[in-house]
């Protein structure tokens, strides 16, 4: 818990920010400012990053993946119990980690591990003949992927959705970014089976390549928000990316 002095300081900042918002430009004007547009791009981009890891393709279609290794239908379905267990454990660890490690570090680490696990899974599916060994290795790669995703990326995404946007537009921009995230979810969920049918094990290398792009996006665009109040994040983004006032012309 935060000490009372820090709580009082944050409350004073919130009141100051609310008064400034009342005196500042209206929402229609504010949403056209460069720093707000950049935040919207970051919010939508993080939704893309979270969903195009392919997490829901792996969650929904693990039995299909494992059946390609020669594992029976019943065994493939039973193996997906591990998906749920690993996801719950990873979420608990992630909730603990987000208060102790920088957001960007968690995202970058998670994406690196996601890319590595997808390359390993693609290699297992491509270079090892269907067998019990291939089934176990494929399942291990899927569980590693899910652990990294649910521990490092998912909790940071949802936390940053509540941190990024300015007070006047927080509801609208958060709702818009999250809505697009669910659209990305649907694209992955409905697109995964036909891609698997067409590309086979190359599918996992495709997702690995997408996640390399996501890693570059995070490193280039996403700000660090840990240890900052909502008001400090807003002020920082406005100062760094807002339009600079024109210098007065010399008379």
């Amino acid at each position: 818990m935060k000490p009372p002095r820090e709580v009082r300081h944050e409350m004073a900042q919130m009141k100051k920010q609310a008064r400034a918002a009342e005196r500042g430009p209206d929402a229609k004007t504010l949403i056209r400012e460069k720093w707000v547009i950049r935040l919207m791009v970051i919010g939508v981009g993080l939704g893309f990053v979270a969903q195009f890891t392919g997490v829901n393709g792996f969650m929904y279609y693990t039995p299909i993946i494992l059946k390609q290794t020669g594992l029976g239908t019943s065994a493939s379905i039973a193996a997906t119990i591990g998906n749920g267990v690993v996801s719950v454990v990873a979420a608990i660890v992630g909730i603990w980690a987000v208060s102790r490690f920088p957001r960007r570090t968690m995202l970058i680490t998670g994406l690196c591990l996601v890319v590595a696990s997808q390359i390993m899974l693609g290699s297992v599916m491509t270079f090892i003949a269907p067998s019990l060994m291939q089934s176990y290795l494929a399942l291990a790669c899927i569980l590693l992927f899910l652990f990294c995703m649910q521990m490092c990326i998912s909790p940071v995404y949802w936390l940053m959705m509540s941190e990024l946007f300015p007070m006047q537009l927080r509801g609208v921009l958060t709702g818009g970014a999250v809505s697009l995230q669910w659209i990305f979810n649907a694209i992955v969920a409905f697109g995964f089976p036909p891609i698997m049918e067409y590309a086979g094990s190359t599918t996992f290398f495709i997702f690995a390549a997408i996640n390399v792009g996501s890693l570059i996006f995070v490193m280039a665009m996403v700000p660090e928000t840990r240890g900052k109040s909502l008001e400090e994040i807003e002020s920082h983004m406005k100062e760094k990316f807002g339009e600079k006032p024109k210098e007065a012309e010399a008379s």
Side-chain angles (χ1 to χ4, degrees):
M1 293 181 64
K2 295 183 178 181
R5 179 179 297 179
E6 189 173 340
V7 172
R8 287 194 295 270
H9 175 69
E10 288 195 11
M11 287 293 294
Q13 280 189 316
M14 292 171 67
K15 291 177 181 177
K16 181 180 177 182
Q17 197 77 18
R19 289 193 294 269
E22 291 176 359
R23 296 192 299 269
D26 59 27
K28 289 182 180 179
T29 302
L30 188 60
I31 202 169
R32 293 195 293 269
E33 294 192 12
K34 288 182 178 178
W35 67 279
V36 176
I37 294 171
R38 184 182 178 93
L39 285 177
M40 188 62 188
V41 170
I42 292 171
V44 173
L46 284 173
F48 180 94
V49 168
Q51 292 301 329
F52 275 83
T53 55
V55 59
N56 287 302
F58 285 80
M59 288 290 289
Y60 301 155
Y61 303 114
T62 293
I64 295 175
I65 298 170
L66 294 179
K67 281 180 69 176
Q68 292 184 0
T69 68
L71 203 63
T73 301
S74 298
S76 298
I77 294 173
T80 60
I81 295 171
N83 288 0
V85 173
V86 166
S87 294
V88 170
V89 172
I92 293 170
V93 176
I95 291 169
W96 172 85
V98 290
S99 62
R100 291 166 174 81
F101 300 102
R103 318 280 194 253
R104 278 171 52 87
T105 300
M106 288 186 66
L107 285 171
I108 291 168
T109 301
L111 284 167
C112 289
L113 293 171
V114 160
V115 170
S117 62
Q118 289 175 334
I119 291 174
M120 288 190 293
L121 179 57
S123 300
V124 167
M125 300 295 289
T126 302
F127 300 115
I128 298 179
S131 61
L132 195 58
M133 176 61 72
Q134 189 194 42
S135 300
Y136 287 149
L137 289 174
L139 180 60
C141 292
I142 292 170
L143 296 179
L144 174 62
F145 161 81
L146 288 173
F147 186 85
C148 299
M149 166 64 196
Q150 305 287 28
M151 182 184 78
C152 296
I153 299 174
S154 288
V156 173
Y157 168 75
W158 290 108
L159 182 59
M160 293 194 76
M161 286 301 96
S162 68
E163 293 179 335
L164 278 177
F165 302 119
M167 182 180 295
Q168 285 173 276
L169 298 170
R170 191 163 291 151
V172 173
L173 295 186
T174 301
V178 171
S179 296
L180 286 170
Q181 179 262 162
W182 288 115
I183 292 173
F184 297 145
N185 179 319
I187 291 171
V188 171
F190 287 109
F192 195 89
I195 294 173
M196 276 288 293
E197 186 176 350
Y198 175 78
S201 58
T202 306
T203 301
F204 308 114
F205 296 115
I206 293 172
F207 275 104
I210 291 171
N211 285 309
V212 169
S214 295
L215 178 61
I216 294 169
F217 170 82
V218 169
M219 294 175 71
M221 293 286 290
V222 177
E224 181 54 64
T225 59
R226 180 174 179 263
K228 297 177 182 177
S229 68
L230 301 179
E231 293 69 33
E232 288 171 338
I233 294 168
E234 181 175 336
S235 298
H236 170 75
M237 295 301 294
K238 191 181 298 184
E239 290 170 9
K240 188 170 182 180
F241 301 111
E243 294 185 14
K244 304 294 187 295
K246 295 181 179 178
E247 295 182 2
E249 293 182 0
S251 56

